[in-house]
Amino acid sequence: MSSSSDGKAGVLPALRRMFSGHSDRSSTVSARSERYFTALILCSGIAVFGINLWRNRFFLHDDAFISLKYARNLVESGELSWNLGDRVEGYTNFLYVLMTAAFIDLGFDPVMALRVINGIAIALMVAAVVYGARAVFPDRKDLHALAVTLVLANVSVAVWIYGGLEAPVAAAFIAWGMGYMVAGMAANTEARQMKLLILAGISLALAVLTRPDGVIVVAVAAIAYLFTSSGSWQRRLGRAAIIAGIPFVIFMVHMAWRISYYGDVVPNTFHAKVGLELGHRLGKVVDYFVKSSLLYLPLISCASVAVAAALFWGRITRIGGTLLAVCMGFALYVAWSGGDHMAAARVLLPIAGPATLLAVVTLAGLPKAQGRVVIVIMLGMLFIATFKARSFRMDWAAFNGTVVGQYIEEAWPADSLVALNTAGSTPYFGASHRYIDMLGLNDRTIALREDVPVLARRQAMPGHGKGDGAYVLSRQPDYIVLGGAEGIDAADADKWFLTGVELSQTEQFSECYQKNSVVLKVPETLKRFRPNQETLRFTYYENLCGE
């Protein structure tokens, strides 16, 4: 009996040790697998980011020089204007212009200032989505890594670090706004939730100051929070009022300043860009969204795959519903406004943060096996987009406009009045002259024109639909540059913009303006942007009739 008892006593501990050891080994293997998978996700994002940065290192957009012209005039003359003495708000990035001016005042090269600001913004956006993911799922390191990858592994991110416009900064503020909001919805105390929602409101207010269309995110986020958050109706209404109220107060303060300084309730660019009929603006929207979501901001497609998987295998949580509403609301606004003519989904980049958090939140609700499959699909989409998307160099308007601007600064009499369509690089480098922006972004009269005929091919480009030949002639500019930065013959005006067509049809233009053409040598400093471009033929019209 004793021996039998001893035998049992010896067998049971052995069995326990055996099964315990198996469990430990299983747990170790599983933990190692998780670490490897997390590392794969993170390394994929960093690798794609590096590839995109290298491929697009020569990119710079002409419109960046519009912001730089305003910033430089502010630093040098204390005036936030395009033409000194003419107060027109031809920019839509107030806070970005102020940031740029501050960096220039500190001694930064102007173009480098833009890129430093945008690089910092992308780093802040990555921090924001990781913060939001950790606040909701503190133990899911794979999802934290995925948040980093979904931000970095987009062509759009790399392009607009170099591009010189405000989209990365707006995206960073919106990402923090949504990160704080998500953390607030997951908070377990009233005091912490209140603090986080206040921080969300402040972040979104800064986004609105960076780009006015940030109000779309604010409005949709507040409404979505009202219907998706927990608690009584009164409590939810109060929290939603915080999210919307802080940006609203800041927006109204800025609007009061805008009215007192510029005499308008919206930026002049609003009139220039949305004055055409809706049908005309919607002409290329479908193509814009398809290319953007598949090639330049594949994060949008990744988030869509995650939502579809959640609907198939699980459900959309209240936090996911809020993020989905924000993404959909902003996408509808972009569709209504006609998309954008600029590279790499610029106007969609501001919702990169909400879309990333949407993907992470919905994936967290999936069974682990299915979640891994979806993540692998996402990584594949990001890699495919990287190698299928085109790489970008300095756009022709910026390149040719820089060459022309440097030439006219030296060759034309100071304080000449020049009418042109390239409102960025040429006016920036031809700093001693005055300008008429024939597309109306920096000209109130053209921007406010209502009877806008469609006579030219490129009027379908968002922001390029307006013009006014009669008005331009009434100003009697000393020089007129038709078409692009390098100029064209008036006979080809219908291939470009409205003002050129209307000018070519008037006797006064034919009688008073003489066509001139000169071959310009491309400066050595620009050749890295367009290596095969040695010379540039510049065509312009000179006023022979005088004032």
Side-chain angles (χ1 to χ4, degrees), residues 202-215:
I202 293 171
S203 300
L204 293 174
L206 294 173
V208 171
L209 286 179
T210 304
R211 278 191 64 85
D213 52 20
V215 298

Side-chain angles (χ1 to χ4, degrees), residues 403-419:
V403 177
V404 168
Q406 292 175 354
Y407 167 74
I408 69 174
E409 182 66 8
E410 296 178 1
W412 291 357
D415 204 38
S416 295
L417 180 60
V418 183

Side-chain angles (χ1 to χ4, degrees), residues 382-397:
L382 294 172
F383 273 103
I384 291 171
T386 293
F387 293 105
K388 286 291 185 181
R390 56 166 291 198
S391 57
F392 295 91
R393 286 184 173 270
M394 178 187 253
D395 72 305
W396 284 112

Side-chain angles (χ1 to χ4, degrees), residues 33-370:
S33 171
E34 288 290 339
R35 287 197 300 271
Y36 288 158
F37 190 60
T38 298
L40 171 66
I41 295 170
L42 190 59
C43 289
S44 297
I46 294 171
V48 169
F49 181 59
I51 293 168
N52 287 330
L53 277 178
W54 177 256
R55 292 184 68 203
N56 295 284
R57 66 193 182 281
F58 295 121
F59 180 66
L60 180 62
H61 199 278
D62 184 70
D63 281 21
F65 290 104
I66 298 178
S67 297
L68 284 178
K69 188 169 174 64
Y70 278 92
R72 186 178 63 188
N73 283 345
L74 179 61
V75 171
E76 295 178 356
S77 304
E79 189 174 316
L80 203 51
S81 60
W82 192 63
N83 283 316
L84 291 177
D86 182 20
R87 292 188 178 182
V88 178
E89 190 178 5
Y91 58 88
T92 52
N93 48 7
F94 174 73
L95 186 56
Y96 190 68
V97 171
L98 295 189
M99 290 178 181
T100 306
F103 272 73
I104 292 173
D105 198 39
L106 289 171
F108 277 75
D109 170 78
V111 172
M112 183 55 67
L114 298 176
R115 290 171 171 172
V116 169
I117 291 169
N118 287 343
I120 293 171
I122 294 302
L124 289 174
M125 181 161 58
V126 169
V129 296
V130 172
Y131 173 83
R134 291 181 66 183
V136 183
F137 309 107
D139 299 325
R140 291 295 302 273
K141 295 187 183 301
D142 57 332
L143 295 183
H144 306 162
L146 182 64
V148 174
T149 291
L150 286 177
V151 169
L152 290 182
N154 292 275
V155 175
S156 183
V157 168
V159 166
W160 289 109
I161 286 177
Y162 293 118
L165 290 176
E166 73 292 337
V169 176
F173 286 135
I174 290 172
W176 273 108
M178 300 311 299
Y180 284 131
M181 188 170 162
V182 163
M185 293 179 76
N188 52 17
T189 67
E190 186 81 7
R192 178 162 175 76
Q193 185 178 64
M194 179 68 75
K195 175 185 175 182
L196 290 168
L197 293 181
I198 290 172
L199 289 172
I202 293 171
S203 300
L204 293 174
L206 294 173
V208 171
L209 286 179
T210 304
R211 278 191 64 85
D213 52 20
V215 298
I216 305 298
V217 173
V218 173
V220 177
I223 294 170
Y225 182 89
L226 185 61
F227 288 99
T228 60
S229 61
S230 59
S232 67
W233 177 258
Q234 292 84 355
R235 181 176 176 276
R236 285 181 283 153
L237 185 61
R239 300 294 181 266
I242 292 173
I243 295 168
I246 295 173
F248 178 76
V249 170
I250 299 300
F251 175 78
M252 293 306 294
V253 170
H254 181 229
M255 179 176 285
W257 173 83
R258 172 187 287 132
I259 293 171
S260 67
Y261 197 82
Y262 293 114
D264 202 347
V265 296
V266 295
N268 190 68
T269 53
F270 175 84
H271 301 298
K273 290 181 178 180
V274 301
L276 297 181
E277 292 185 4
L278 179 63
H280 187 69
R281 299 202 305 272
L282 295 180
K284 296 185 177 181
V285 163
V286 173
D287 183 61
Y288 177 77
F289 270 95
V290 170
K291 286 184 178 178
S292 295
S293 60
L294 291 179
L295 296 177
Y296 302 114
L297 199 62
L299 161 62
I300 295 174
S301 295
C302 291
S304 301
V305 168
V307 169
L311 291 174
F312 186 79
W313 280 307
R315 65 186 181 88
I316 301 293
T317 64
R318 58 190 181 87
I319 294 177
T322 301
L323 294 165
L324 180 61
V326 169
C327 294
M328 292 295 294
F330 195 83
L332 288 173
Y333 157 75
V334 171
W336 171 82
S337 64
D340 191 30
H341 73 283
M342 295 186 194
R346 177 190 68 108
V347 295
L348 287 169
L349 184 56
I351 58 166
T356 296
L357 290 171
L358 172 61
V360 169
V361 166
T362 51
L363 280 174
L366 298 180
K368 184 165 285 189
Q370 286 88 335

